[in-house]
C-alpha cells in the first residue's frame, strides 16, 4: 500500500475508502481546480489509481491510461474497479470514476512493485535548467488570483520557457518547470500522475493560449522519485487540425527520468 | 463506418459482428501470430477498435489505450463495449476482448472523424531512409520460417538499423522500417494500430534479443494516411530494471506524421 501522510493536503484530497458492495468512494476537493471550478485531470487520475491499488497486491501505479469523459467539479465520487489477473510482477485493473453527473473518467491502471530499477539505457538526460530559486514562480506574488492547483503545487518555470508571459512567444511549444507539492510531501508515483498533467499546455510557449481539454492521457512511472524537486518538461510535437499531443517527461532531483506521459488534447482553434 | 475491403486478409481477420445481447464477436485468426501461436497485440487492438466503432457515430479511432492481460491464440472471441458519452467531435468506449481463457485485452477507444487536418506544428519530420526497394525485407527469401505476422505485412528495414542481424549491434535502440499490408490494402487508422505494434522490440538494434511482452500501449492516430508505404520508427528511450518503453512514430508516403504510440513492455533480463 502507498504510504499516506495524514498531514498532506494531497493525500487528504486523493483519499479513497472501500465502499460497501465493492469499489471505493472519494470526496473530490474543489481546491484542485484549474479554473472555473474544473478539477485537474491528473488529480482525478491519482484518485482512480488509489482506488485500483486497493485491489492490487502491488503498491505502485506504473502505467495509467485515462480517458476524460466530462469535466468534473468538487463533490462526492465513486470509483468502481474491475480487477484483471494479478501476477507476481504486475496486476491490472480498470477504474471508472463517477460523480453525480455520471462517469467522469475511465482509467486502466497497471500496478507493480518498484524497488531498485537500475538504468541500462536512457536517451533523455535531464536538461540543464537554473536552480528553482532562480526560476519563475507560477504563483504570482502580486495577489492576482490563481487556480487552486497552482496554489497546491510549487511550480518554478525555467525562464528560458517563459517569454510568452511577457509577450515574447518562443519558436517551439516547450515548457519546463520544477515542481513539488506545496504541502511538503515528497514525490511518489501518485504525485507523478498529478505532475504529468499539471503544466499549462505547451502551446502557451508559442503564444497560443486557451484551455486544452485532455482527451486521453497515458502516464508511465519508470522509477521511484528521490525526495526533492522534480523537473517537468512538456512538449507539443504535433499540432494539427485542433488536436495536439502533450509529451511530458519528469526527472527527479537526482536527474533520473522517473515518468513519461503522452496525452491527446483538443486545442482551441 | 470504416470501409471494409472484402478481399483484404487484414479486414477479414479483424472483422467483428454484432452479438446478440450487445457487444461483438470475432474469430481470432491464428495467422497473425508473432511466434509460438501468440497473436500480435496490434492485431488484437484493431479488433477491439472495430468493436468500439460499432457503437460510435464517428468512423476513426484517434486514441486507443490497451492493456494486455494474457497472451492469446487463435479462436473465437467476444468483445464487450461500454460506451461513454458521444459528442459532435468525439466519442469514447471501453472494450474488453475475451477468449475462452478469459479477458485478454482491455482498451479505451476514442473515436472521431478525421478529415482535413492541417498541420500547424510538427517537431519530427520523416527521417531520411532509402527507398523500400533498397531496404532489407523482413521476410527471408531463403525459406527460413517466419511468424505469421511477418508474412502478412511487407516490412523493409532501413539498412542503417539492421546491423544486429549481422552481429554488429548499434549503439542506440532504434529500428526503422517501411511497412504495408501484404494484401495490398491501403493504410487507414485501423492498420496504423497494427503497424504501431508490428516491429520487433527496438532493443534488438543493440543486440538485446528476446520477446518483450507489451504491458500497456497507447496509440494516437493524428491524420488519415495517404496510400502507399508507411515508415515506422520504434525507439527505446528508457530501459531500466527489466522495463522498457517503445516509442513509435509512423509517417505516411507523403512524409506526414500519421500516428505516434508509446508502450510499456517487459524486457527479458
Amino acid at each position: 500500500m502507498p504510504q499516506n501522510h495524514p498531514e498532506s493536503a494531497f493525500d487528504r484530497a486523493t483519499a479513497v475508502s472501500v465502499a460497501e458492495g465493492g469499489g471505493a468512494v472519494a470526496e473530490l476537493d474543489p481546491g484542485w481546480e484549474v479554473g472555473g471550478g474544473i478539477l485537474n485531470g491528473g488529480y482525478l487520475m491519482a484518485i482512480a489509481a488509489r482506488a485500483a491499488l486497493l485491489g492490487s497486491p502491488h503498491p505502485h501505479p506504473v502505467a495509467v491510461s485515462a480517458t476524460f469523459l466530462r469535466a468534473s467539479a468538487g463533490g462526492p465520487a465513486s470509483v468502481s474497479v474491475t480487477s484483471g489477473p494479478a501476477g507476481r510482477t504486475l496486476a491490472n485493473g480498470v477504474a471508472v470514476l463517477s460523480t453525480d453527473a455520471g462517469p467522469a473518467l475511465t482509467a486502466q491502471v497497471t500496478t507493480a512493485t518498484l524497488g531498485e530499477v537500475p538504468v541500462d539505457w536512457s536517451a533523455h538526460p535531464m536538461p540543464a535548467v537554473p536552480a528553482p530559486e532562480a526560476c519563475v514562480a507560477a504563483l504570482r506574488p502580486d495577489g492576482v488570483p490563481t487556480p487552486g492547483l497552482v496554489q497546491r503545487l510549487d511550480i518554478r518555470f525555467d525562464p528560458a520557457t517563459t517569454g510568452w508571459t511577457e509577450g515574447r512567444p518562443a519558436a517551439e511549444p516547450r515548457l519546463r518547470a520544477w515542481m513539488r507539492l506545496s504541502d511538503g510531501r515528497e514525490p511518489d508515483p501518485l504525485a507523478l500522475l498529478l505532475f504529468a498533467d499539471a503544466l499549462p499546455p505547451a502551446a502557451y510557449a508559442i503564444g497560443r493560449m486557451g484551455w486544452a481539454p485532455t482527451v486521453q492521457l497515458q502516464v508511465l512511472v519508470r522509477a521511484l522519485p528521490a525526495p526533492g524537486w522534480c523537473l517537468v518538461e512538456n512538449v507539443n510535437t504535433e499540432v494539427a487540425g485542433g488536436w495536439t499531443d502533450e509529451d511530458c517527461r519528469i526527472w527527479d532531483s537526482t536527474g533520473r527520468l522517473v515518468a513519461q506521459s503522452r496525452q491527446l488534447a483538443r486545442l482551441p482553434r
Side-chain angles (χ1 to χ4, degrees), chain A residues 71-165:
Chain A
S72 295
S78 63
V79 190
S80 71
V81 178
T82 307
S83 294
R88 206 165 48 86
T89 306
L90 53 84
N92 287 294
V94 177
V96 181
L97 187 156
S98 300
T99 66
D100 292 347
L105 170 152
T106 59
Q108 296 172 89
V109 183
T110 302
T111 49
T113 302
L114 288 172
E116 279 293 304
V117 184
V119 178
D120 293 329
W121 167 264
S122 188
H124 297 289
M126 182 161 74
V129 168
E133 299 71 34
C135 286
V136 182
L139 194 57
R140 302 270 301 263
D142 51 10
V144 172
T146 50
L149 180 72
V150 177
Q151 299 167 40
R152 278 152 190 81
L153 290 169
D154 193 350
I155 301 175
R156 312 284 182 94
F157 284 101
D158 177 359
T161 68
T162 57
W164 57 279
T165 64

Side-chain angles (χ1 to χ4, degrees), chain A residues 196-254:
Chain A
D197 192 42
L199 285 184
Y204 276 42
I206 56 172
R208 197 159 164 180
M209 324 294 276
W211 195 43
T214 303
V215 174
Q216 200 187 88
L217 165 60
Q218 183 194 52
V219 184
L220 306 183
V221 175
R222 305 304 307 276
L224 297 177
W229 292 94
C230 286
L231 181 70
V232 184
E233 180 179 67
N234 198 12
V235 182
N236 298 145
T237 76
E238 185 81 11
V239 182
W243 302 87
T244 187
D245 61 343
E246 299 270 356
D247 221 28
C248 177
R249 275 189 279 272
I250 305 178
W251 297 264
D252 71 7
S253 60
T254 72

